[in-house]
Amino acid sequence: MISHPYYETALAAAQRAGEILRKYFRTKVSIQAKSAVDFVSQADLESESSIVETIKTRCPDHQFLAEESHRDRFDAADLWVIDPLDGTSNFLHGIPQFAVSIAYVRGGICEFGVVYNPISDEWFTAQHNQGAWYSVGCPAADRNMTRLQVAKDLALSDTMVAIGFYYDRDKIMEATLRSISDFFRQNIHGVRRFGAAALDLAQLARGDYGVFMEYKLHPWDHAAGGLIVSEAGGKLTNCLGAPLNFNGPTSILASNSILHEAALAIAKRNLVNATNL
Ligand code: IPD
Ligand code: CA
Ligand code: CA
């Protein structure tokens, strides 16, 4: 179980944000376009201000790397990395696959992470070097939590692959489509595109599938989910096989460890080909 002085703060912040997202879900919420296909809604903004406010009230000196409002550096002493609504496109289309993602980072180490789907009431949590857990209902001290463990699939032909698409309709999209085709040629069981990277990672940690890849994600998309994957026995690198960069966008390949090299061969080949175009 997680034991950390700021863990309760994260749970309280996520719960409050979840209430806001439920309030706006399937209503006519106001939206602004960040690009032709990338939107931010009143729900994203209100969720983020409520998370920041909850944390600031309890920890006034802490810093934030939060998608809509704060850009403190990843190596700050006490840093909260926040995606107030991961899966905005799903949210805006009334699809109940989205999450609040909160990670607490100290000196560049992600100490704990929380990914919460406020519709299914599923909570995925992890603490550095202590493991990862799952519960339906808020993970209070007396609740029975299930320990998360990645799938034991031994070959790509035994597994399902989850894919993410960045807000790009050019080279990144083409490279992603080529990778999907290459994965299918390895006789994988199927490809899933769920639309919320934090949950993609959390569900990989639960063993739903053996591989997740996306060619561009930001730290708030993967900080909490990435810790949950590694604490559940999985492996994360970028799509060239190097450690993840937390100071800017990165490609990401997450797996149950066993399938990492096989998946990396595909993810890397198509990324390299796309950047050489
Ligand atoms: C997005 C989601 C999506 C992923 C995009 C992300 P947002 O986050 O995680 O699954 O494919 O790359 O930007 O914009 O909904 O917070
Ligand atoms: Ca996101
Ligand atoms: Ca978001």
Coordinates of all heavy atoms in Angstrom, one line a residue, residues 39 114 128 141 143 181 191 195 197 205 228:
F39 N -8.6 20.1 -28.6 CA -9.5 21.1 -28.0 C -9.2 21.1 -26.5 O -8.8 20.1 -25.9 CB -11.0 20.7 -28.2 CG -11.3 20.7 -29.7 CD1 -11.3 19.5 -30.4 CD2 -11.6 21.8 -30.3 CE1 -11.6 19.5 -31.7 CE2 -11.9 21.8 -31.7 CZ -11.9 20.7 -32.4
V114 N -1.1 8.7 -9.4 CA -2.5 8.4 -9.3 C -3.1 8.6 -10.7 O -3.0 9.7 -11.2 CB -3.2 9.2 -8.2 CG1 -4.7 8.9 -8.2 CG2 -2.6 9.0 -6.9
H128 N 7.1 4.7 -5.9 CA 8.4 4.3 -6.3 C 9.0 3.2 -5.4 O 9.0 3.3 -4.2 CB 9.3 5.5 -6.2 CG 10.7 5.3 -6.7 ND1 11.0 4.9 -8.0 CD2 11.9 5.5 -6.1 CE1 12.3 4.8 -8.2 NE2 12.8 5.2 -7.0
A141 N -7.3 3.8 3.2 CA -6.4 2.9 3.9 C -7.0 1.5 4.2 O -6.3 0.5 4.1 CB -6.0 3.5 5.3
R143 N -9.2 -0.1 2.4 CA -9.8 -0.8 1.2 C -8.9 -1.9 0.7 O -7.7 -1.8 0.8 CB -10.0 0.3 0.1 CG -10.8 -0.3 -1.1 CD -11.0 0.8 -2.1 NE -11.9 1.8 -1.7 CZ -13.2 1.7 -1.7 NH1 -13.8 0.6 -2.1 NH2 -14.0 2.7 -1.3
S181 N 0.4 -1.6 -38.9 CA 0.4 -2.6 -40.0 C 1.5 -3.7 -39.6 O 1.3 -4.9 -39.7 CB 0.7 -1.9 -41.3 OG 1.1 -2.8 -42.3
V191 N -5.4 -4.5 -32.2 CA -4.9 -3.2 -31.8 C -6.1 -2.5 -31.2 O -7.2 -2.6 -31.7 CB -4.4 -2.4 -33.1 CG1 -4.4 -0.9 -32.8 CG2 -3.0 -2.9 -33.5
G195 N -7.7 6.2 -26.4 CA -7.8 7.6 -26.4 C -7.5 8.4 -25.1 O -7.8 9.5 -25.0
A197 N -4.0 8.4 -22.8 CA -2.7 7.8 -22.6 C -2.4 7.3 -21.2 O -1.8 6.2 -20.9 CB -1.6 8.7 -23.0
A205 N -0.4 -1.9 -17.2 CA 0.0 -2.3 -15.9 C -0.9 -3.4 -15.3 O -0.5 -4.3 -14.6 CB 0.1 -1.2 -14.9
I228 N 3.3 3.6 -12.8 CA 2.4 2.5 -12.5 C 2.9 1.3 -13.3 O 2.9 0.2 -12.8 CB 0.9 2.9 -12.8 CG1 0.5 4.0 -11.8 CG2 0.0 1.7 -12.7 CD1 -0.8 4.7 -12.1

